[in-house]
Amino acid sequence: VARMARAARVLALARAAEGAVGPGPGRARLVLLPPGSGARPGPQGWREAVAAAAAALQAGGLVAVPTDTVYGVACLAQDSAAVRSIYSLKGRNGAKPLAICLGDVERLYRYCHVNVPDELLRDLLPGPVTLVLERSEELNKDLNPFTSLVGVRIPDHPFMRDLARACPGPLALTSANISSQGSTLTVLEFQDLWPQLSLVIDGGPIGNTQSPECRLGSTVVDLSVSGKFSIIRPGCALMPTVDILKKYGLIPESS
């Protein structure tokens, strides 16, 4: 049954690509992750997908990626031209910030000023949480130029972590949809964006596509004020996130 479902999905994707993506340099290439690869790194096809995505990013492209919450679009955060392209794709100006995505907690310290215990970070990350912290001088000044803060994601998805590790700097990451539209859980749901992408990584459906809760995205929490936290977006992991923050003695900023 799983094999038949996958074959049907491949056929649907091929037909969608014929209609949605024209020939030429703007054409998005579609790469399917190996079956079962959402749980752990798979065989050769997995490594090829990571390499293809890393190459597309380093060439300045935009790549659609599966995460632990919804589908996203990534580019190199230190590439100002790519950052402008991702804002254009989303149909919004630079005043609405992009998050950065990293593969490991250790790399977070290079791009952010951290004022919470390392153990707290490791209790939350990797996971469906975006931590908002003071940005460091290492981060591209063209990324979110109107704020001294930056959101950081380390998705609990092995492909995203491998991809982030394969790139020389952080990824800029945003949801794969036009601003103000709903989050997407399959690659077909954002096929209108395919012509502006270099590569689409298809990791299959993320969660239950019939459940509104699965489209909430990550929980966004501001940790930039020492000893306090502020929930910017409840997202899909609010209660466990708040429990961990309180465990370390942080209090709501409104208190």
Side-chain angles (χ1 to χ4, degrees):
V1 176
R3 187 175 299 173
M4 292 175 61
R6 181 174 173 82
R9 181 159 61 91
V10 172
L11 180 60
L13 290 167
R15 289 173 174 167
E18 288 173 4
V21 184
R27 178 169 185 164
R29 178 181 162 211
L30 184 72
V31 174
L32 273 69
L33 291 182
S37 58
R40 55 188 174 85
Q44 184 69 25
W46 177 277
R47 295 189 292 273
E48 291 172 351
V50 171
L57 291 168
Q58 292 181 56
L62 306 183
V63 177
V65 290
T67 76
D68 53 352
T69 54
V70 297
Y71 270 89
V73 175
C75 74
L76 293 187
Q78 305 296 71
D79 183 335
S80 296
V83 169
R84 288 192 291 272
S85 295
I86 213 169
Y87 275 122
S88 176
L89 175 92
K90 293 286 288 186
R92 71 189 191 197
N93 60 36
K96 190 170 182 180
L98 301 170
I100 62 169
C101 172
L102 302 168
D104 299 283
V105 170
E106 291 82 2
R107 298 188 69 190
L108 187 150
Y109 290 89
R110 180 173 179 180
Y111 303 103
C112 302
H113 297 296
V114 179
N115 58 2
V116 295
D118 186 75
E119 293 81 5
L120 184 154
L121 296 180
R122 294 175 187 278
D123 270 0
L124 290 172
L125 302 172
V129 183
T130 300
L131 302 184
V132 177
L133 299 161
E134 288 282 344
R135 59 193 286 158
S136 78
E137 291 299 311
E138 289 280 336
L139 200 56
N140 180 8
K141 292 177 176 57
D142 290 331
L143 180 82
N144 309 336
F146 303 109
T147 176
S148 63
L149 306 178
V150 66
V152 183
R153 282 276 275 132
I154 302 180
D156 190 12
H157 192 292
F159 177 82
M160 282 306 303
R161 297 189 70 191
D162 281 357
L163 177 59
R165 290 166 179 150
C167 293
L171 306 180
L173 183 65
T174 185
S175 54
N177 60 311
I178 304 295
S179 283
S180 79
Q181 295 185 1
S183 299
T184 55
L185 300 178
T186 73
V187 297
L188 286 176
E189 291 181 348
F190 59 88
Q191 61 181 286
D192 55 327
L193 301 183
W194 289 10
Q196 299 176 67
L197 303 173
S198 298
L199 192 67
V200 175
I201 301 293
D202 180 13
I206 298 174
N208 178 3
T209 59
Q210 303 303 313
S211 169
E213 288 76 18
C214 287
R215 298 181 187 271
L216 293 176
S218 64
T219 295
V220 183
V221 55
D222 186 343
L223 297 180
S224 62
V225 178
S226 185
K228 296 188 176 184
F229 70 89
S230 176
I231 301 298
I232 297 175
R233 182 176 71 190
C236 64
L238 177 61
M239 294 312 296
T241 298
V242 169
D243 287 345
I244 289 171
L245 296 172
K246 289 183 175 178
K247 183 177 82 171
Y248 287 93
L250 274 65
I251 61 173
E253 198 168 342
S254 57
S255 299

